[in-house]
């Protein structure tokens, strides 16, 4: 490695000492538009009887954005306004058409089932393990449960702390049937539904695709939805 010469070292020190010009704070009206956009998007996905709050963060202080007469907030494609997220800001009327994002934190408060005590991996859930609490259901990934009965008999795939929400990723995937078993297949289409028996060619894991063979020899793919039940979408 070549040694850094003294003049270059001095220049680097001088550059490091220079202050970074901070980006001016967002206009209050623009902040409110960002907050409203995030709240509207969150409410569209939030369950009924929940309360949504939005905290808008700050732009990166290192940004140096050109003046813009019209800034449009938007939700970037593939980004959910849920938990820690980002809202886009793009300049529509300026010498430079810049496009940046600002961080937001979206909380969705609602009543959900939580653990009544610390629960280790492998616990088979019973009523004594469950309690109710008002929580931020958007704080962590995974759907929460609002029906305690749906959790009874389920097993935990990871430990859950006391008062922590029981979420779908916390549960072991159920196997509804094994390969070779006879299953009821329900084919659903626009305005009709047809039921028939078939043989499962693969194990039916909850919510996952499975292949079945009908008596005619036809093979189809559907989704395991319950005990020895498969649904096909036509």
């Amino acid at each position: 490695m070549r040694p850094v010469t003294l003049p270059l070292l001095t220049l680097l020190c001088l550059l490091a000492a220079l202050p970074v010009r901070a980006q001016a704070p967002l206009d209050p009206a623009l902040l409110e538009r960002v907050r409203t956009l995030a709240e509207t998007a969150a409410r569209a996905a939030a369950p009924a009887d929940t309360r949504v709050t939005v905290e808008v963060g700050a732009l990166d202080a290192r940004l140096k954005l050109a003046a813009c007469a019209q800034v449009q907030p938007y939700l970037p494609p593939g980004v959910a306004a849920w938990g820690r997220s980002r809202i886009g800001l793009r300049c529509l009327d300026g010498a430079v058409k810049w496009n940046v994002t600002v961080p937001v934190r979206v909380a969705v408060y609602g009543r959900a089932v939580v653990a009544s005590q610390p629960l280790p991996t492998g616990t088979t859930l019973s009523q004594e393990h469950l309690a109710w609490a008002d929580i931020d259901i958007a704080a962590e990934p995974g759907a929460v449960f609002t029906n305690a009965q749906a959790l009874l008999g389920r097993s935990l795939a990871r430990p859950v702390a006391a008062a922590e929400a029981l979420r779908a990723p916390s549960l072991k995937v159920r196997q509804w049937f094994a390969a070779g078993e006879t299953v009821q297949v329900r084919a659903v289409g626009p305005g009709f539904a047809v039921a028939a028996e078939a043989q499962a060619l693969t194990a039916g894991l909850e919510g996952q695709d499975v292949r079945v063979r009908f008596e005619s020899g036809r093979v189809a793919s559907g989704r395991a939805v319950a005990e020895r039940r498969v649904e096909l979408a036509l």
Side-chain angles (χ1 to χ4, degrees), residues 37-39 41-43 45 75 79-83 85-87 104 106 108 138:
L37 174 61
E39 181 177 344
R43 287 191 184 281
L75 186 64
V79 174
W82 196 268
S85 186
R86 303 191 75 84
I87 295 294
V104 294
V106 182
V108 181

Side-chain angles (χ1 to χ4, degrees), residues 197-211:
E197 285 191 346
Q199 182 185 39
L201 299 180
T202 54
L205 301 179
E206 181 180 22
Q208 297 186 16
D209 290 341
V210 59
R211 298 176 70 236

Side-chain angles (χ1 to χ4, degrees), residues 52-130:
V52 176
T53 65
V54 178
E55 295 178 7
V56 182
L59 289 173
D60 190 324
R62 295 167 296 182
L63 289 174
K64 298 178 182 179
L65 303 179
C68 184
Q70 183 181 359
V71 179
Q72 180 189 53
Y74 69 96
L75 186 64
V79 174
W82 196 268
R84 296 192 180 277
S85 186
R86 303 191 75 84
I87 295 294
L89 297 174
R90 54 190 166 207
C91 176
L92 300 181
D93 184 6
V96 179
K97 301 298 190 292
W98 45 260
N99 194 335
V100 298
T101 60
V102 61
V104 294
R105 180 183 178 275
V106 182
V108 181
Y109 295 99
R111 195 161 177 79
V113 183
V114 301
S116 62
Q117 57 193 279
L119 302 175
T121 300
T123 299
T124 299
L125 298 174
S126 61
Q127 194 64 55
E128 66 177 338
H129 299 132
L130 309 177

